[in-house]
Amino acid sequence: MSVANEKIVSDLLKPIGYGKGFLIWMSFLTAILIACLYAYSIQLREGLGVTGLRDYVSWGIYIANFVFFVATSLIGMLISAVLGLTNIKWASPLARIAEIISLAFAAVAGLVIISDMGRPDRFLYLFFYGRIQSPIIWDVTVVTTYVVISILLLYLPMIPDIALCRDRLTHLPKWQRKIYEILSVNWQNTPEQQHIIRQGVKTLLILIIPVALAIHTVTSWLFAVTHRPGWDSTIFGPYFVTGAFVSGTAAVIIAMYVFRRIYHLEQYITAELFDKIGKLLVLVSLVYLYFNINEYLVPVYKLKHADAAHLHELFQGRFAILYWSVQIGGLLIPIILLLFKPMRRPLPLFIVAIFVIVGAWFKRYLIVIPTMQHPFLPIQNVPIEYQIYKPTLIEIAITVAPIILVLMIITILSKTFPILPIQEVENHENN
Amino acid sequence: MRIIKYFLSLTLLLIFLQTALLSAEEWEVPADKAKRTSPYLFDENARKKGEDIFKRSCASCHGIPGQGNNIKSLVPIPPDLKEAKVQKRSDGELFYMITTGRGAMPSFKNSLTEQERWQVISYIRSFNKDYVQPPLAKLVDSAKLRSVQIIPFFDTVKFKVSVLVKAFQKTDTLPLPDAEVSLFVKRYFGNLPIDSIRITPSNGKVTFNFPSNLPGDSTGNIQLIVKVNHEMFGELEKLYVAKLGVPTIKPPLTEKRAMWNVGKKAPLWLIFSYLIVVGAIWFFLVRIILSIRKIKQSGKNPKL
């Protein structure tokens, strides 16, 4: 191994291990998680009445959160598969970060749904009594499949790196080395082994494209197959998918920045990489903007009776401040800012990405809740809290829990495995 | 142009005057009707039943009495029934108004029985602390009511329904004159009035024209309601079945495989597409998972 490569390997393996910072950070997350779980125990005992959900708004921030999670999990497919298969080389060092984010968000998305169930003990009924005609069944199928693909797509290309950990990280505790040993499945870097991995990864990269499109298209169909203002749209599938790329790219940028700072990877997660992914964010945001124009301008032009009330609430009514903040602050201004090169340096890009991802979360809120407050038959003879949805503290805590879980999964994975694919980095540096 | 303007303003003026007049116009109730009182006691039971009926049939316009949630967009505005203006009226007046209706206020003659109408009034009165129920009217003698016979004839060729009404009078059961007879077809929601109300002549027989195109059940049967109301003999309602409808066979929407049907009756194309797509993807996934074992085996005895 050359000296340069030797340095890469030792640099990338350095962050691995559960040090003091890791323990403090994880205890912090655990403390919050316990508080959130306590909130959930109240919901389990008392029922969904402790949330702001009522007859009319029965999908609140839980489902908005679910859509956000599924959306963000799509990024693995964009970075690894779309850019990978089209041979766009600059993105390949980011593949692992993208896969870790995908896996964490997709795996937790299923839990988010369970938090929306009044009787989670009946979850398995879905499999016993579900109707194949229901998009909910398709969603369950495709989310499960996507989680499995994400695990494989994270794991297979990582086997050689795990073998490196097994061979190099002799200072680690025994149990941890045992895990590397099991996971590295006797990796000896033989041509046969390389061939198997190459074939497997290639198949996965092809499979993940339709499955990822399906996962978010089906999620959009949960809404679009119902005849309600704001959901009754034929472009909901692509609208959701393009929106997903925006929030996913922002998530990757945030992760890149944090890893770069904390793990001192300035040399590998370069400013140039930020510049490139900043351009990618502009591209996907422009596509999403295009879909937004379609999604809102066409109904605004026709102003069908039920749509009119809904759109009025969004544009000028109760949701107007949120709506315009999300569309302008979370989409339009980021696009304009990122057109300038200085804004694509790591720190400014990181800040813009935070705006984009917060906007993306609230965009899901705007997709789910206002529609539920505009049923075709006017709401009458119900108490005021049935008419206007306001999430309760318990509900907010239960919504925070999955976010904490995602952070935990990402932290553990990034402290257990090298977050940059070593081989890719070597190729990159040597060219 | 001038003429058009002139006409326009004239019409507008007329419309305005009409609405103004209509809303100002007192609702005249014939004196003998206004004096009527309820034959039923306004007790808790009557009030409860009245409340159900009110919420179902009246609250959508008048709102719940005392809450002021009546719809303000109708002309004239349906008053909140707790208002003094309404409570000042006699029971007989309210009964008449509910029975006949006026303008936007529908007539409940056919959809509520007399007893139900009195129950609603009992409910409306429960919002008036000062109300004392006047002496009960005499109920119709039940022996008299029991003697009423309704004898229908269904002409399924010429589509006519005749009704002969008889009752025990003095010494014998004879055709009953002056009885009000109405005919309805029973539907899922409410009854469909057929032809107009008839008053029996001295031979006690009336005839209704029946439409020839009403849908019946699979054999053309239709359920008919004949209602007889006589001042002295009371109110009687009977249900009959006659082949006066067009036979209609509607296969239930849940019979064939369909998107909206139960899981067992899912469309075949959907089942196949689902299985093929999911099967194909998992075929590859399982193969990849198995290939991990191959990596392991090949690592044991590497062919270097």
Side-chain angles (χ1 to χ4, degrees):
Chain A
M1 203 179 275
S2 72
V3 184
N5 285 355
E6 196 58 54
K7 179 169 162 29
I8 292 175
V9 172
S10 71
D11 279 354
L12 293 184
L13 290 184
K14 204 186 290 160
I16 293 178
Y18 309 129
K20 213 161 115 201
F22 171 82
L23 290 179
I24 295 173
W25 171 239
M26 283 302 278
S27 333
F28 170 69
L29 291 180
T30 312
I32 302 182
L33 189 66
I34 288 173
C36 298
L37 287 180
Y38 173 67
Y40 185 62
S41 76
I42 297 177
Q43 179 182 311
L44 261 187
R45 197 173 59 234
E46 310 280 327
L48 284 173
V50 299
T51 66
L53 302 171
R54 292 293 180 268
D55 298 29
Y56 289 98
V57 179
S58 52
W59 284 357
I61 52 176
Y62 292 157
I63 298 298
N65 206 29
F66 168 72
V67 177
F68 173 77
F69 271 55
V70 175
T72 310
S73 78
L74 243 60
I75 189 62
M77 169 274 226
L78 180 69
I79 302 261
S80 317
V82 176
L83 302 187
L85 286 176
T86 45
N87 239 349
I88 296 179
K89 280 282 184 289
W90 65 263
S92 54
L94 297 179
R96 185 153 310 149
I97 295 182
E99 277 313 323
I100 288 178
I101 289 178
S102 288
L103 175 59
F105 277 94
V108 176
L111 290 181
V112 179
I113 284 290
I114 294 181
S115 71
D116 193 49
M117 297 178 71
R119 291 287 305 266
D121 51 312
R122 294 184 180 170
F123 176 70
L124 286 182
Y125 286 12
L126 199 64
F127 301 99
F128 303 150
Y129 310 115
R131 288 165 64 247
I132 197 177
Q133 295 100 311
S134 162
I136 291 180
I137 291 293
W138 314 342
D139 211 41
V140 172
T141 315
V142 80
V143 170
T144 323
T145 311
Y146 188 71
V147 170
V148 172
I149 296 188
S150 295
I151 293 175
L152 287 173
L153 201 49
L154 176 65
Y155 175 60
L156 273 194
M158 203 161 63
I159 292 177
D161 290 0
I162 299 176
L164 269 179
C165 294
R166 174 195 66 194
D167 301 338
R168 300 285 182 103
L169 299 176
T170 43
H171 61 283
L172 287 180
K174 204 160 171 205
W175 62 270
Q176 205 178 340
R177 296 185 53 205
K178 186 84 198 159
I179 293 179
Y180 290 133
E181 170 136 20
I182 296 171
L183 286 181
S184 60
V185 286
N186 289 337
W187 179 260
Q188 306 293 344
N189 215 1
T190 65
E192 191 191 354
Q193 287 177 322
Q194 286 174 355
H195 176 76
I196 296 173
I197 287 199
R198 224 177 301 121
Q199 285 301 315
V201 170
K202 212 195 269 166
T203 317
L204 285 172
L205 288 182
I206 295 169
L207 281 184
I208 197 175
I209 295 180
V211 175
L213 286 177
I215 176 178
H216 215 35
T217 305
V218 171
T219 306
S220 84
W221 286 350
L222 296 177
F223 302 92
V225 295
T226 53
H227 176 48
R228 303 209 38 181
W231 293 350
D232 180 18
S233 158
T234 53
I235 62 160
F236 241 43
Y239 174 56
F240 269 44
V241 170
T242 50
F245 290 157
V246 175
S247 67
T249 310
V252 168
I253 292 172
I254 294 171
M256 280 165 67
Y257 185 81
V258 173
F259 288 143
R260 174 180 147 108
R261 287 294 302 269
I262 295 181
Y263 296 170
H264 306 294
L265 296 172
E266 284 84 354
Q267 207 186 331
Y268 304 100
I269 307 180
T270 56
E272 191 200 339
L273 211 49
F274 277 89
D275 185 67
K276 290 257 170 58
I277 198 162
K279 285 181 187 159
L280 180 67
L281 184 56
V282 174
L283 175 68
V284 291
S285 298
L286 279 173
V287 178
Y288 188 47
L289 179 69
Y290 164 74
F291 273 97
N292 267 280
I293 293 172
N294 275 275
E295 179 58 25
Y296 289 106
L297 194 66
V298 174
V300 162
Y301 196 96
K302 291 183 281 193
L303 222 55
K304 286 185 286 188
H305 191 75
D307 284 348
H310 172 69
L311 292 168
H312 184 86
E313 282 285 87
L314 286 184
F315 293 166
Q316 297 168 26
R318 218 181 311 142
F319 297 101
I321 294 179
L322 188 57
Y323 179 81
W324 293 113
S325 313
V326 163
Q327 296 288 50
I328 296 175
L331 192 57
L332 208 57
I333 295 182
I335 293 177
I336 296 170
L337 287 183
L338 295 184
L339 290 177
F340 301 98
K341 196 172 170 84
M343 293 306 293
R344 295 195 299 268
R345 280 174 303 144
L347 183 63
L349 184 59
F350 169 67
I351 294 169
V352 170
I354 287 179
F355 273 87
V356 170
I357 205 159
V358 171
W361 194 93
F362 280 102
K363 184 67 189 290
R364 305 319 186 265
Y365 183 92
L366 286 170
I367 290 174
V368 176
I369 281 102
T371 289
M372 302 217 81
Q373 294 193 352
H374 296 118
F376 281 107
L377 296 177
I379 298 178
Q380 36 180 350
N381 295 329
V382 295
I384 187 81
E385 73 264 24
Y386 278 57
Q387 295 173 36
I388 297 172
Y389 168 72
K390 228 179 106 216
T392 62
L393 202 62
I394 293 180
E395 198 178 354
I396 293 172
I398 297 174
T399 305
V400 169
I403 299 173
I404 301 289
L405 269 180
V406 161
L407 290 179
M408 287 174 132
I409 294 178
I410 294 178
T411 309
I412 293 176
L413 287 177
S414 70
K415 272 290 185 182
T416 310
F417 305 111
I419 51 152
L420 297 183
I422 293 175
Q423 188 131 45
E424 297 289 349
V425 175
E426 283 173 355
N427 293 344
H428 209 73
E429 300 279 310
N430 296 344
N431 284 339
Chain B
M1 270 322 270
R2 292 262 297 278
I3 295 195
I4 293 179
K5 256 192 198 158
Y6 173 75
F7 268 111
L8 209 66
S9 39
L10 193 69
T11 344
L12 280 177
L13 187 74
L14 278 177
I15 290 175
F16 174 75
L17 274 181
Q18 199 198 0
T19 36
L21 279 176
L22 194 70
S23 50
E25 195 183 3
E26 250 318 294
W27 196 338
E28 290 297 338
V29 177
D32 58 324
K33 307 268 186 201
K35 273 202 275 274
R36 272 191 80 173
T37 58
S38 163
Y40 307 98
L41 189 66
F42 289 176
D43 55 6
E44 180 54 24
N45 188 23
R47 191 198 67 78
K48 260 236 163 78
K49 291 207 165 114
E51 179 175 359
D52 286 346
I53 300 166
F54 191 91
K55 289 200 167 142
R56 181 158 36 87
S57 314
C58 324
S60 54
C61 293
H62 288 283
I64 303 296
Q67 298 196 354
N69 53 350
N70 45 342
I71 6 175
K72 314 287 193 296
S73 53
L74 282 181
V75 182
I77 297 176
D80 183 321
L81 296 182
K82 196 187 171 180
E83 271 174 35
K85 174 191 124 188
V86 180
Q87 293 290 348
K88 228 171 49 205
R89 297 190 187 278
S90 71
D91 291 351
E93 282 178 310
L94 294 181
F95 188 85
Y96 179 83
M97 289 166 162
I98 299 169
T99 305
T100 59
R102 181 174 83 163
M105 164 76 193
S107 152
F108 287 90
K109 190 173 164 62
N110 294 330
S111 41
L112 297 178
T113 65
E114 291 205 354
Q115 188 177 6
E116 287 170 330
R117 275 171 261 161
W118 286 119
Q119 285 164 343
V120 170
I121 294 174
S122 153
Y123 171 71
I124 297 173
R125 290 304 192 194
S126 71
F127 291 90
N128 181 353
K129 281 197 299 300
D130 304 329
Y131 173 79
V132 185
Q133 191 177 11
L136 298 191
K138 239 182 68 185
L139 259 182
V140 182
D141 179 356
S142 61
K144 266 191 170 155
L145 181 60
R146 253 182 284 130
S147 79
V148 176
Q149 296 176 6
I150 299 176
I151 304 155
F153 310 95
F154 303 108
D155 186 338
T156 55
V157 179
K158 293 209 197 95
F159 288 95
K160 295 220 182 282
V161 175
S162 315
V163 177
L164 173 61
V165 184
K166 282 177 160 181
F168 188 83
Q169 292 158 78
K170 290 196 187 103
T171 53
D172 205 357
T173 302
L174 297 171
L176 181 66
D178 296 327
E180 216 181 72
V181 186
S182 38
L183 179 69
F184 303 91
V185 166
K186 195 168 159 58
R187 290 187 297 194
Y188 280 129
F189 302 103
N191 300 327
L192 174 71
I194 301 292
D195 213 343
S196 51
I197 295 175
R198 300 278 146 91
I199 309 287
T200 49
S202 54
N203 68 0
K205 189 168 174 179
V206 292
T207 304
F208 297 88
N209 294 317
F210 200 89
S212 59
N213 55 358
L214 285 190
D217 68 6
S218 57
T219 55
N221 277 334
I222 279 189
Q223 290 187 300
L224 295 141
I225 295 168
V226 176
K227 236 187 211 178
V228 172
N229 192 356
H230 190 279
E231 214 166 302
M232 270 140 64
F233 288 81
E235 211 176 15
L236 182 67
E237 190 181 301
K238 283 241 159 103
L239 186 68
Y240 300 94
V241 176
K243 275 201 177 17
L244 282 164
V246 182
T248 331
I249 300 168
K250 282 226 179 91
L253 287 173
T254 50
E255 199 176 51
K256 294 200 181 124
R257 290 183 173 277
M259 217 58 179
W260 56 80
N261 218 327
V262 291
K264 280 202 190 93
K265 290 188 179 174
L268 285 175
W269 66 263
L270 182 69
I271 299 176
F272 286 133
S273 320
Y274 179 90
L275 291 179
I276 289 172
V277 171
V278 174
I281 288 177
W282 277 90
F283 170 76
F284 287 110
L285 287 185
V286 169
R287 266 185 54 164
I288 292 173
I289 293 170
L290 292 179
S291 78
I292 294 174
R293 269 194 32 218
K294 260 196 267 165
I295 298 180
K296 190 161 188 175
Q297 277 155 6
S298 123
K300 261 188 205 144
N301 38 5
K303 294 174 242 150
L304 285 172

